[in-house]
Amino acid sequence: MLIIPIKEGENIDRALKRYKRKFDRTKTMKNLRARKNFTKPSVANRAQRIKASYVQRLRTQEEVG
């Protein structure tokens, strides 16, 4: 449960923005979506390797170019 203390005289929009930012940082929605369906460990590992190679390719292009 997220608790956002509201200061005296604070605008509700500002407090709502702080709540949304804190909610995003806790990765609650990401965890809920991941639990919704099961991914086999082999598929997860393959996706992780593909992402790592993509990031590596971007970094080498930055160094060269």
Side-chain angles (χ1 to χ4, degrees):
M1 183 168 158
L2 296 175
I3 298 173
I4 306 295
I6 298 177
K7 298 166 187 140
E8 190 68 32
E10 185 179 17
N11 190 357
I12 190 70
D13 292 329
R14 192 172 195 81
L16 187 60
K17 189 172 185 177
R18 282 197 351 244
Y19 173 78
K20 287 180 182 178
R21 196 176 322 129
K22 194 170 187 178
F23 184 79
D24 287 340
R25 286 183 187 154
T26 58
K27 300 178 184 176
T28 306
M29 288 305 292
K30 189 174 184 179
N31 290 335
L32 285 175
R33 288 186 181 125
R35 289 180 184 193
K36 205 173 203 179
N37 55 358
F38 178 76
T39 55
K40 294 183 355 183
S42 61
V43 174
N45 290 337
R46 189 178 322 126
Q48 191 176 15
R49 271 189 254 117
I50 290 170
K51 183 178 177 183
S53 66
Y54 172 74
V55 169
Q56 185 66 36
R57 196 175 327 119
L58 287 179
R59 287 188 179 153
T60 55
Q61 286 177 352
E62 258 186 19
E63 291 174 359
V64 173

